[in-house]
Amino acid sequence: LAGISTLELPSDRAPGKVRSARGLSLSVQLSAEQKGELQAYAHRQRATLFMVLAAGFQALLSRWADQEDVAIGTAIANRNRAEVEGLIGFFVNTLVLRTDLSGDPDRGELLRRLREVTLDAYAHQDLPFEKLVQELAPERDLGRSPLIRVMLVLQNLKLPKLTLPDLIVEPLPAAGKTAKLDVTLSLDPEGEGLSGTLELAADLFDEATGLRLLAHFERLLGGLAAAEGDELRLSTLPLLSAAESSQLVTAGTTDLKSAVASADDSCLHELFAAQAARTPEATALVSGETRLSYGDIERRAHRLARHLRTLGVGAEMPVGVCLERGPELLPTLLGILTAGGTYVPLDPAYPQERLDFLLADAGVSVLVTEGALAARFATVGTQVLVDGAFDVASAGCAAVEPWPPTDPGQLAYLIYTSGSTGRPKGVAIAHRSAVALVRWALTHYSSAELGGVLASTSICFDLSIFELFVPLGCGGAVHLAADALALPDLASLAEITLINTVPSAIAALARVIPAPFGLLTVNLAGEALPRALVREIERWQPGVRLLNLYGPSEDTTYSTWAEMAPGEEGSPSIGRAVAGSSVYVLDRYGNLLPQGAPGELHLAGRGLARGYFGRPELTAAKFVPDPFSGEPGGRLYATGDLVRTRADGELDFLGRRDHQVKIRGFRIELGEIEAVLGSFPGVGSTVVVAPVSESEERRIVAYVVARSEATLEVEELRAFAAHRLPGHMVPSAFVVLAELPLTAN
C-alpha cells in the first residue's frame, strides 16, 4: 500500500471540509442469466464470483475516474477458523484491495491481477483495518475516510431465519438514509440472481449519477463475462449504451451546415473587400487620432499587395510582419493576404533570439516592418518599409483592380505558441478556418455590439483574429490600443462596444474605469473565469452581455462559448461548441466518457488548423483520426485540457492534464487551489505550482499579487485556504509578489 492513490470519482458536488453522513440507496438487481454467466466465467478462470465482480467494479471505477491505481475496500467475515464459528461477537474486518490497472490489460489479465490482489489480502485478513491506518498514517481528512472511499461487499454468509415461540426473526432490507463511504455496493448471491443496494454519499452524488453508475457496471460485467471476446481489454469493455454514445456525440456536435455553410467559399481579405464595397466611407480603423475608412484600408492593402507581388510573394509564401500597433498594421495584414501570402506575426517586444528563430522556422524571406525596427532584421533577404507608404493621401489613388482569387484552403497566417520542449511551434491556419470563426461570430453578435471593438491583443496571439476580422465583416470599427490597460486613455473610449480579452485584464480595467461607458459586450477567454469576477463585471457595467469562451490556437481562437446569465451560481462553464465545431470528452484510450467523468477535451470541425508548420511528427501526434464524424480524413485535436460534461450538456473546464499533480497519494488540480485563493478579498491574481524539492518531494507553493489598494498577509491567506480546502491542498508556502511575470501575450 506504499504511495497508495486516493480514488477520485467524479461527483456532482465538490466535497466539503467536513462531510455529513447523509446517504441515499438504490436497489441493484442482476438477472439469474447474468449471474450464471459470471459464475461460468469465474469457473473458467479459476476464480470466485467475488473476484469477477471486483474486477468489473474496479475496471468501472478506473474508467470513470481516469485512474490506473485503484483501491477499494471489502468486508470479510474473518471467521476462517472452526474455533470461532460458534462465538458471539463482531469479527468483521475491512480489507484494502489495491490493483494496478496500467497497460490496458485484457480481461483475462485483469481477472488474474484481481485474483492475486484478493488472495494476498485474504492472507492478511487478521490485521485490523484500524491498525493498518495507524501504521500507514495517511494524511487525514475529516471529509473523507482514510485509504478507501469505495467499498464492494458480497454477502455470501446466509443469515438464518430464527423461529422462536410466538416470534419469527428474519432479515429485511433497510431503506438506508446514511452513507459511511462515498460509494458502497452490497450484493447478495442468494436466490436466482444477484440483488443488493448501492449506497451513495448524498453530499456528493445525485440519484441519477448512481443509476448511471449501475447501468455502466451491468454493461461492463456483460462484456467481462461474455463467452467470446478474449481480445477485450480494459479500454474496450463496454460502458456506454448505443443511445448514450449517440447522445454524447450529438450534444457535442453543432450543425456544420447552418451558420457557416458558405465558410469554404471566401477568404479573410475577401470578406473585408465585400464590406468595403458596401460601406467604403464608414470608419474601419481608429488608431490614436487617425481614422481610416474601409475604402482607405482597401486601397492601402492593394498598394502593398502589388508591391509584394513584384517581390515574388504568392500562394502561401510566409511574409513576416513586425510593426508597432499603429494605423499601418491592419492594411499590412490585409495586403499580405490579398497578395496570396501567409502573414507571420512578430512582436517587437520579443527578444532578438526568439525573433531570429521564428524567421528561420517559418522560412521568411520577405518582411514588412518600419524604419525604427529595420536594423533588427539585417539577415532577412527583403524588407518592405511601411513608413510613409500608407499616408492619408493614398485615399485619393485610383480604384483597386481585381485580383485572382485565393483558394480558401490556403494558409492565412502562422501563429507561434509555446512548445513543451522549449521550441515554439507554428500553428498553420487556413482562410476557411478563420472565415468559419468570423461567420459564427456574425450570427451571435449584433452589428451594434461589433460597432466598436477594442483591438488590444498582440497579433502574435489568436484573440487578435476575432478583434481584427470579425468587426470588419459587418461594417464595425476596430479601435487599436497598445494593450487592454490602455483603454482608459483612448480618445475613442465612449465608442467601445465590445472588449475581447482575458479575465485578469478585465479585472484590472474594472478598477481603473469606475463608471459605465457604453460597453455592450465582454468576451473573456484564455484563463479560467471566476464567478466572483462575473459578479464584479455585472456591478461595473450593469446590463453588459458577458461571454466565457474557450479555444486553443489549433482550433482558430474559439471552440466553445457560454453566455453568463445574471444571478447564476457555481463555476462558470465553457459552454457548448461554436457552430461548425464538435467537442468530445475522451478517456486515455480514446473512448467517449459519460456525463460527469473527467477526460481530455478533443475538438473537431471547420476551425481545426492544418497542423504545425514544418512539424509533421508533432502534427500526427496531436491531430488524430476522428472516429465520430464519419467524414473521410476527419481529424480530432487532442487539447490536453481536462473537462467534464454537465447535466445540461455544457462543459466544465477542470484544468490542464499536465497541471494535475500527485502529492502524498492525493491527486490535486492546482487550478482548483488558484480558484479558491482568487476569491480572497484583495487578491488580484494568483499562480499555484508544485515544484519538486531537493529531497524529490513535491510541495504546493502559491504566488499571489494584491489588488492595488489591498495588503495581503500570508497567515490570513493560509487560514482562508485552510477553511475552504482539504489539508493536503493547502499550500505549504505563500509568496506575495508585486506583479506576476508575464509573457508578451
Side-chain angles (χ1 to χ4, degrees):
L1 301 180
I4 189 171
S5 294
T6 305
L7 184 63
E8 300 280 358
L9 276 179
S11 58
D12 299 301
R13 286 166 293 281
K17 288 276 296 176
V18 179
R19 203 189 75 196
S20 75
R22 293 189 312 111
L24 58 94
S25 293
L26 301 172
S27 62
V28 183
Q29 185 63 55
L30 299 179
S31 68
E33 180 182 2
Q34 291 171 307
K35 176 184 173 182
E37 291 173 350
L38 294 170
Q39 288 175 320
Y41 182 66
H43 180 71
R44 293 196 302 271
Q45 297 293 324
R46 299 174 59 241
T48 66
L49 175 61
F50 173 78
M51 293 174 184
V52 175
L53 292 171
F57 197 46
Q58 289 196 308
L60 172 70
L61 299 173
S62 171
R63 295 273 293 274
W64 265 53
D66 192 27
Q67 287 183 235
E68 294 180 329
D69 182 2
V70 178
I72 65 172
T74 190
I76 190 161
N78 211 17
R79 290 175 178 266
N80 56 340
R81 298 168 63 96
E83 295 87 339
V84 301
E85 279 297 320
L87 296 181
I88 296 175
F90 189 74
F91 288 78
V92 175
N93 191 24
T94 297
L95 301 182
V96 181
L97 305 180
R98 181 191 185 188
T99 309
D100 175 12
L101 298 177
S102 63
D104 194 18
D106 61 43
R107 62 174 184 163
E109 172 62 19
L110 174 66
L111 187 53
R112 283 190 288 275
R113 293 184 190 182
L114 257 296
R115 181 174 57 202
E116 180 179 350
V117 165
T118 305
L119 293 176
D120 284 349
Y122 290 165
H124 300 282
Q125 61 182 291
D126 293 332
L127 178 67
F129 179 73
E130 296 78 10
K131 179 65 175 176
L132 183 65
V133 172
Q134 180 182 345
E135 290 295 324
L136 290 174
E139 187 163 337
R140 301 303 292 270
D141 181 349
L142 292 177
R144 298 290 180 89
S145 59
L147 300 183
I148 56 170
R149 296 181 179 177
V150 176
M151 180 170 277
L152 173 66
V153 179
L154 186 66
Q155 301 282 8
N156 57 357
L157 287 179
K158 185 176 180 180
L159 298 176
K161 177 186 284 189
L162 301 178
T163 303
L164 303 172
D166 302 320
L167 182 66
I168 298 176
V169 180
E170 61 179 310
L172 294 174
K177 297 186 182 297
T178 60
K180 294 170 284 297
L181 300 171
D182 292 0
V183 176
T184 301
L185 177 61
S186 301
L187 296 172
D188 186 347
E190 288 299 317
E192 295 184 352
L194 279 170
S195 60
T197 59
L198 179 70
E199 181 183 276
L200 301 169
D203 287 358
L204 301 177
F205 301 102
D206 294 328
E207 181 177 326
T209 302
L211 293 173
R212 194 161 53 249
L213 184 75
L214 287 176
H216 293 171
F217 181 50
E218 184 174 349
R219 194 169 295 111
L220 192 148
L221 284 179
L224 184 64
E228 299 179 355
D230 289 336
E231 73 285 355
L232 283 173
R233 312 188 78 82
L234 173 65
S235 62
T236 55
L237 287 170
L239 197 69
L240 307 177
S241 67
E244 197 172 0
S245 296
S246 177
Q247 191 274 332
L248 288 169
V249 170
T250 301
T253 304
T254 56
D255 184 359
L256 300 183
K257 299 178 181 179
S258 59
V260 290
S262 57
D264 292 347
D265 303 329
S266 302
C267 298
L268 282 173
H269 59 284
E270 292 170 349
L271 290 182
F272 174 80
Q275 184 61 43
R278 291 191 293 269
T279 58
E281 302 303 321
T283 298
L285 177 66
V286 180
S287 178
E289 299 299 322
T290 302
R291 289 178 179 256
L292 298 180
S293 69
Y294 278 81
D296 294 335
I297 293 176
E298 179 78 340
R299 285 183 284 271
R300 294 179 182 219
H302 276 257
R303 175 180 288 186
L304 176 61
R306 282 197 302 273
H307 183 49
L308 292 176
R309 285 280 196 172
T310 65
L311 299 175
V313 173
E316 296 199 351
M317 181 173 176
V319 178
V321 179
C322 189
L323 297 170
E324 300 292 352
R325 296 181 68 78
E328 300 88 356
L329 185 61
L330 189 51
T332 297
L333 300 182
L334 288 166
I336 295 170
L337 297 176
T338 302
T342 299
Y343 76 80
V344 182
L346 305 164
D347 195 313
Y350 281 174
Q352 191 62 43
E353 183 179 352
R354 186 178 181 90
L355 290 174
D356 292 342
F357 171 84
L358 299 182
L359 290 168
D361 191 74
V364 171
S365 58
V366 176
L367 172 74
V368 181
T369 186
E370 49 196 322
L373 300 170
R376 300 180 64 182
F377 303 101
T379 58
V380 179
T382 303
Q383 292 186 10
V384 178
L385 303 182
V386 300
D387 304 66
F390 297 139
D391 57 31
V392 179
S394 68
C397 70
V400 297
E401 70 279 11
W403 289 84
T406 303
D407 188 308
Q410 288 180 202
L411 293 184
Y413 59 85
L414 294 178
I415 280 188
Y416 277 80
T417 66
S418 298
S420 58
T421 62
R423 175 187 174 188
K425 51 188 185 292
V427 181
I429 300 292
H431 279 273
R432 63 163 50 100
S433 295
V435 169
L437 170 73
V438 174
R439 293 198 185 279
W440 167 78
L442 294 181
T443 64
H444 285 81
Y445 297 85
S446 68
S447 57
E449 290 176 293
L450 299 173
V453 175
L454 178 68
S456 60
T457 306
S458 164
I459 60 171
C460 298
F461 192 26
D462 61 347
L463 265 66
S464 65
I465 305 303
F466 183 100
E467 295 173 348
L468 297 178
F469 295 107
V470 170
L472 298 180
C474 67
V478 174
H479 293 253
L480 211 59
D483 55 53
L485 299 185
L487 177 60
D489 300 323
L490 284 190
S492 60
L493 171 62
E495 301 174 46
I496 302 298
T497 56
L498 186 146
I499 296 176
N500 182 74
T501 189
V502 295
S504 53
I506 205 72
L509 283 176
R511 295 193 293 271
V512 296
I513 303 178
F517 57 90
L519 186 64
L520 299 178
T521 304
V522 173
N523 284 350
L524 295 178
E527 300 168 356
L529 175 60
R531 177 61 65 182
L533 180 57
V534 173
R535 298 192 187 98
E536 186 175 344
I537 295 170
E538 291 171 348
R539 291 191 296 268
W540 173 53
Q541 300 288 324
V544 72
R545 184 186 183 207
L546 180 59
L547 291 96
N548 191 27
L549 298 122
Y550 161 89
S553 299
E554 289 84 348
D555 196 38
T556 315
T557 310
Y558 295 140
S559 308
T560 70
W561 69 292
E563 187 165 347
M564 302 293 99
E568 279 186 330
E569 298 294 333
S571 298
S573 82
I574 59 171
R576 304 174 184 272
V578 303
S581 296
S582 299
V583 297
Y584 305 103
V585 185
L586 307 181
D587 65 15
R588 69 186 68 214
Y589 306 112
N591 298 313
L592 284 168
L593 281 167
Q595 173 193 315
E600 184 176 1
L601 179 60
H602 288 66
L603 305 171
R606 296 180 184 271
L608 282 194
R610 182 184 293 179
Y612 297 111
F613 188 75
R615 307 280 294 275
E617 74 294 339
L618 185 59
T619 299
K622 296 293 287 184
F623 292 84
V624 298
D626 179 3
F628 307 111
S629 67
E631 295 183 2
R635 300 177 303 152
L636 296 175
Y637 171 64
T639 65
D641 288 328
L642 286 174
V643 299
R644 64 179 177 186
T645 306
R646 303 195 322 188
D648 59 6
E650 296 193 348
L651 296 173
D652 277 333
F653 180 79
L654 305 177
R656 288 289 298 172
R657 179 177 285 276
D658 48 12
H659 287 176
Q660 186 184 88
V661 297
K662 187 180 290 184
I663 300 178
R664 297 185 298 278
F666 290 97
R667 195 171 66 170
I668 296 170
E669 289 291 350
L670 299 178
E672 182 180 350
I673 305 173
E674 290 177 352
V676 169
L677 294 178
S679 66
F680 181 79
V683 168
S685 52
T686 179
V687 171
V688 177
V689 297
V692 179
S693 65
E694 293 181 0
S695 62
E696 298 188 351
E697 290 186 358
R698 283 190 181 273
R699 64 180 192 141
I700 303 173
V701 181
Y703 295 87
V704 293
V705 176
R707 295 177 182 267
S708 56
E709 72 283 358
T711 300
L712 296 177
E713 297 293 338
V714 167
E715 290 308 314
E716 291 181 3
L717 282 169
R718 191 186 309 278
F720 182 83
H723 186 64
R724 289 161 177 78
L725 292 168
H728 63 271
M729 294 181 69
V730 175
S732 60
F734 292 82
V735 182
V736 179
L737 300 176
E739 61 181 11
L740 289 177
L742 301 176
T743 67
N745 291 342

